[in-house]
Amino acid sequence: MPTLPMEVERASLGPGLEVSRVLTGLWQVADQERGGRTLDPEAASRALEPYADAGLASFDMADHYGSAEIIAGRLAKRRRDVQLLTKWVPEPGPASPETAAAAVDRALTRLGTDRIDLLQFHPWSYADPSWLDNLFLLAEHQAAGRILHLGLTNCDAVHLDMAIRSGVPIVSNQVCFSLVDRRAAGTMSQVCREHGVKLLAYGTLAGGLLSDRWLGCAEPAIDESLTWSQMKYRRFVDQAGGWERFQALLGTARRIADRLDVADPEGDPNVTSGLAEKNVSIANVACRYVLDQREVAGIIVGARPGERTHIEENLRLFRFALDAQARRELEAACEALHPIPGDCGDEYRRPPFLTASGDLSHHVTHFPAPWPVTAGGGAARVSTGTPWEALAGYSRAVRKGDRIHVSGTTSSHAGRVIGGRDPAAQTHFVIDKIDGALQSLGGSLEDVVRTRIFIRDGVEWEPVARAHGLRFAHIRPANTLVRANTVDDDLLVEIEADAELS
């Protein structure tokens, strides 16, 4: 066994922000408080002191994790060596400067600081461009010094790329990543490499299911006997092929763990350096696998303030390494599972909803129409507010009966060109914009029967075609692609669409 450093590994997310590679997640505060009991913030913050003392001084939370921000803020008042990462997860709907400012103010107040280390934004619906509007507003607060760095959470690869190319300085994306869910290892990691973005991985222990506790256990029911996290990740296990396949994965991890021992700072594998146990656990193997992924800056392991800690087990991650054989065995066990459907974060946007409740009832109350609708003359119409709609006298989309016709749509939005000069990113935003118009009129992309793509002379056509294919491959509408000069040199792609509602 090689001698490994005892120090907690750290990673840089951006200038001035270095975090421990095992971050302490405080989402379980909400679970602790779900019966209506509120944790005492001073006592709970004292319970977090041992994490910071051990070097696990980076804390991840969100505006909806109960009193987590207040608790972490109390801790930060007593010590300057902690990093506070939080999230803004607004309900879907229009963005406004007032709403964004209130969200930042609330986080600053609860954290007891004048600058947030990392504020991560969660987009609910890409068909509603308010997610980008909110990011642009947050970037203004960052420029004003109220936020050090901006991140995303549960954002897919296409829209992470789009946001960055649109000028938002994103440094991280927090996504689910585990032996059960390896979506982030695909296109997401490619986008991160291209833009220098780091991944913060949650769900690495699948709510604690990836542990010795569940090896050989009967399949638990998804009910209130489980924690919220366990209910959520039981649904992931079902999607991955069920409890029997999951048990095979646990068995593989256990066999690998049996071959591993931690090493002490002097290199003597028989000394445990104060760690509670010498042997490596299934949880250790699962965490180390994700930590070893190139684009992962850190994993987020949940803590329940005032209850049992896992500090010793977390520290053990820095005392062993997975060899090539172990990695091959884990890869083979993962390949035997079914891939989790979609891209990162899709579990919050489309069925199957892999949440504790199996739907979005614990997260949002409703999804308003992305664009306002007017009616008259036997038709319903949508306008997206671009200057040309009023100037040239047309609607973005018109519904008459069961047919919806969407006008030629470009990537212009609120005085910006979304996606920069990248034709694929522009195409994806155009399709999002079409989707928003269709949703406002009672349809969806699934109803599209024909598209027409106009590509500006000199622009490469293949990235546009591939982007269209990614979004429409399962729908397969009729399509025409032509060369044509668009009305603006920066607008590289324009798309029309026709839909028929069944």
Side-chain angles (χ1 to χ4, degrees), residues 389-466:
E389 290 172 359
L391 185 67
Y394 67 91
S395 298
R396 176 61 47 207
V398 177
R399 174 176 177 175
K400 198 158 188 177
D402 291 333
R403 294 190 175 188
I404 301 176
H405 306 280
V406 184
S407 300
T409 300
T410 64
S411 63
S412 63
H413 173 68
R416 292 182 169 90
V417 175
I418 304 301
R421 293 283 300 177
D422 185 79
Q426 286 199 18
T427 300
H428 281 295
F429 181 71
V430 169
I431 295 171
D432 288 341
K433 202 170 172 181
I434 290 171
D435 192 14
L438 292 170
Q439 288 186 26
S440 300
L441 292 170
S444 71
L445 288 182
E446 307 289 329
D447 301 310
V448 172
V449 295
R450 183 171 183 82
T451 57
R452 300 171 191 84
I453 304 175
F454 304 91
I455 302 177
R456 188 171 185 81
D457 285 344
V459 174
E460 189 178 353
W461 65 267
E462 186 171 344
V464 177
R466 289 186 178 277

Side-chain angles (χ1 to χ4, degrees), residues 9 36 76 90 142 160 170 177 259 443 445 476:
E9 295 173 8
Q142 181 190 25
L160 170 62
I170 301 296
F177 199 168
R259 302 200 302 263
L445 288 182
R476 304 183 72 83

Side-chain angles (χ1 to χ4, degrees), residues 227-297:
T227 67
W228 277 349
S229 289
Q230 289 168 344
M231 286 191 282
K232 172 180 178 176
Y233 291 105
R234 268 286 289 106
R235 300 184 192 279
F236 275 78
V237 168
D238 286 347
Q239 286 295 314
W243 194 251
E244 185 176 343
R245 293 189 187 211
F246 179 68
Q247 284 293 314
L249 174 65
L250 289 181
T252 298
R254 182 64 260 165
R255 288 190 294 275
I256 292 169
D258 287 340
R259 302 200 302 263
L260 298 169
D261 280 329
V262 295
D264 82 302
E266 304 303 321
D268 182 356
N270 297 310
V271 180
T272 61
S273 308
L275 297 177
E277 298 177 5
K278 176 168 169 283
N279 292 333
V280 174
S281 67
I282 288 176
N284 288 156
V285 171
C287 287
R288 191 70 246 182
Y289 171 83
V290 176
L291 275 174
D292 287 346
Q293 304 303 307
R294 177 177 168 184
E295 310 310 324
V296 172

Side-chain angles (χ1 to χ4, degrees), residues 114-116 140-148:
D114 58 4
R115 188 177 69 178
I116 302 165
E140 293 177 9
H141 287 279
Q142 181 190 25
R146 307 177 79 205
I147 302 167
L148 180 58

Side-chain angles (χ1 to χ4, degrees), residues 115-259:
R115 188 177 69 178
I116 302 165
D117 290 329
L118 178 71
L119 184 57
Q120 303 158 94
F121 179 77
H122 173 92
W124 282 112
S125 170
Y126 303 123
D128 184 343
S130 64
W131 78 276
L132 283 166
D133 297 333
N134 279 320
L135 281 179
F136 294 134
L137 291 169
L138 292 178
E140 293 177 9
H141 287 279
Q142 181 190 25
R146 307 177 79 205
I147 302 167
L148 180 58
H149 290 295
L150 290 175
L152 286 165
T153 181
N154 294 312
C155 186
D156 67 19
V158 160
H159 293 90
L160 170 62
D161 179 74
M162 180 190 298
I164 295 170
R165 292 186 188 279
S166 300
V168 184
I170 301 296
V171 300
S172 65
N173 188 20
Q174 186 175 143
V175 296
C176 189
F177 199 168
S178 72
L179 288 168
V180 174
D181 178 10
R182 298 194 300 160
R183 291 173 296 174
T187 305
M188 175 62 68
S189 289
Q190 296 172 18
V191 170
C192 287
R193 280 194 294 276
E194 181 175 0
H195 295 294
V197 171
K198 289 300 182 182
L199 293 175
L200 298 174
Y202 70 88
T204 303
L205 292 176
L209 297 178
L210 279 165
S211 67
D212 288 282
R213 173 188 171 188
W214 294 97
L215 178 62
C217 288
E219 180 177 8
I222 302 176
D223 57 29
E224 289 297 319
S225 67
L226 302 178
T227 67
W228 277 349
S229 289
Q230 289 168 344
M231 286 191 282
K232 172 180 178 176
Y233 291 105
R234 268 286 289 106
R235 300 184 192 279
F236 275 78
V237 168
D238 286 347
Q239 286 295 314
W243 194 251
E244 185 176 343
R245 293 189 187 211
F246 179 68
Q247 284 293 314
L249 174 65
L250 289 181
T252 298
R254 182 64 260 165
R255 288 190 294 275
I256 292 169
D258 287 340
R259 302 200 302 263

